[in-house]
Amino acid sequence: MSWQSVRILVDSKQAELLSDALIDIGALSVSLEDADAGTADETPLFGEPDHPTAELWLHSIASVLLDEDADVAATLAMAAHQAGIPVPTDYSVETVAEQDWVRLTQSQFDPIPISPRLWIVPTWHDAPDSGAINLRLDPGLAFGTGSHPTTRLCLRWLDAHLAGGETLLDYGCGSGILAIAAARLDATGVNGVDIDTQAVTASRDNARLNEVAVHFCLPGELASGQYDIVVANILTNPLKGMAPLLAGRVRTGGHLVMSGILAEQADEVMAVYRDWFAFAPPAVDEGWVRLAGVKK
């Protein structure tokens, strides 16, 4: 079994129109990419829920997956007619053969060193250092493999600051990696919450895999109370909106650790939380920041 991968050069004003039309007439998938990626003209775009980016890249590539017997030229002509745009002529076609997609996906995730004593090790890999604290992880459908700068930033804070015995809440737990790391670093009374049931399921599975006692649940199931440490690796706009909630979960003298924040957004996030917290200087990794504050 195989498929056809079609890459079409299209401008920003036509990209979404063409994408929608291709899906309507039977394309298996359509994704949009920056045609200038990897060059000096590459333009990063960042969007958040309810705050989408204003427009796409000036030059975009629509990457389309079609059945192996689809007539590419006819499909593009039909989609262009439906979208009311000229028929694309600048495109390429490649055959995509059937593969072991699980193995291909797994090959993208290698063990990740966080510190000399802390590693993230996917379940399909052997631990490079058997004497280290090795977090065994299968992300499933949840965010949090440890490869993203925001996850690494939060893990480094936990590794540097946990002395043992702290209570901790991981708000927006994803795969559960931060809460599980805290438990492996001897925090106690560790809880994690997420609005996504798939994330809660993945987190519980990963806690069992790492043989730690962490309670994961949906937000409405979390008992009242405050913590020594609250960690929230989410996104800027949800973090701003949840400021009273998160601040209320941190005891006086306790710590709030936040990430999922771009460097240029750090000041606006700290401004929202300054009534409650005194912040250390932001830590930066690949354009993302971690903010850590002590509750007044």
Side-chain angles (χ1 to χ4, degrees), residues 150 153-154 232-235 239 257-261 289-291:
T150 60
L153 285 164
C154 292
N233 182 21
I234 313 177
L235 286 169
L239 286 172
V257 181
M258 299 182 289
S259 197
I261 305 162
V289 299
R290 177 195 68 222
L291 302 178

Side-chain angles (χ1 to χ4, degrees), residues 193-214:
V193 297
D194 204 290
I195 61 173
D196 185 350
T197 56
Q198 296 276 13
V200 173
T201 298
S203 295
R204 290 171 177 170
D205 290 344
N206 284 322
R208 282 190 291 269
L209 185 64
N210 286 274
E211 300 179 342
V212 294
V214 179

Side-chain angles (χ1 to χ4, degrees), residues 106-112 120-122 124-125:
Q106 290 179 346
S107 70
Q108 300 174 23
F109 298 104
D110 291 324
I112 300 170
I120 301 167
V121 184
W124 50 88
H125 275 282

Side-chain angles (χ1 to χ4, degrees), residues 130-146:
S130 59
I133 298 173
N134 292 299
L135 307 177
R136 306 297 298 190
L137 187 69
D138 184 352
L141 297 177
F143 175 82
T145 62

Side-chain angles (χ1 to χ4, degrees), residues 157 161 228 247 250-258 266 269-282 290-296:
W157 190 95
H161 291 84
D228 297 321
V250 184
R251 66 165 178 82
T252 301
H255 298 268
L256 175 65
V257 181
M258 299 182 289
V269 175
M270 286 191 288
V272 174
Y273 282 84
R274 281 199 194 280
D275 286 347
W276 297 286
F277 296 93
F279 285 98
R290 177 195 68 222
L291 302 178
V294 177
K295 191 171 183 183
K296 302 173 184 177

Side-chain angles (χ1 to χ4, degrees), residues 44-130:
L45 297 179
F46 299 98
E48 296 189 22
D50 301 321
H51 293 80
T53 55
E55 61 180 52
L56 295 171
W57 304 278
L58 181 61
H59 305 111
S60 298
I61 289 178
S63 181
V64 186
L65 193 66
L66 300 174
D67 286 322
E68 60 181 328
D69 57 354
D71 184 326
V72 174
T75 298
L76 295 183
M78 189 183 306
H81 177 74
Q82 180 171 318
I85 62 174
V87 178
T89 57
D90 192 346
Y91 64 88
S92 61
V93 183
E94 292 183 358
T95 298
V96 178
E98 178 67 272
Q99 300 185 56
D100 185 336
W101 299 108
V102 172
R103 287 186 179 276
L104 181 62
T105 300
Q106 290 179 346
S107 70
Q108 300 174 23
F109 298 104
D110 291 324
I112 300 170
I114 300 301
S115 74
R117 69 165 178 163
L118 184 63
W119 284 74
I120 301 167
V121 184
T123 54
W124 50 88
H125 275 282
D126 294 328
D129 180 358
S130 59

Side-chain angles (χ1 to χ4, degrees), residues 145-166:
T145 62
S147 60
H148 196 273
T150 60
T151 310
R152 296 196 302 267
L153 285 164
C154 292
L155 286 169
R156 288 174 191 147
W157 190 95
L158 295 174
D159 182 48
H161 291 84
L162 288 182
E166 297 91 345

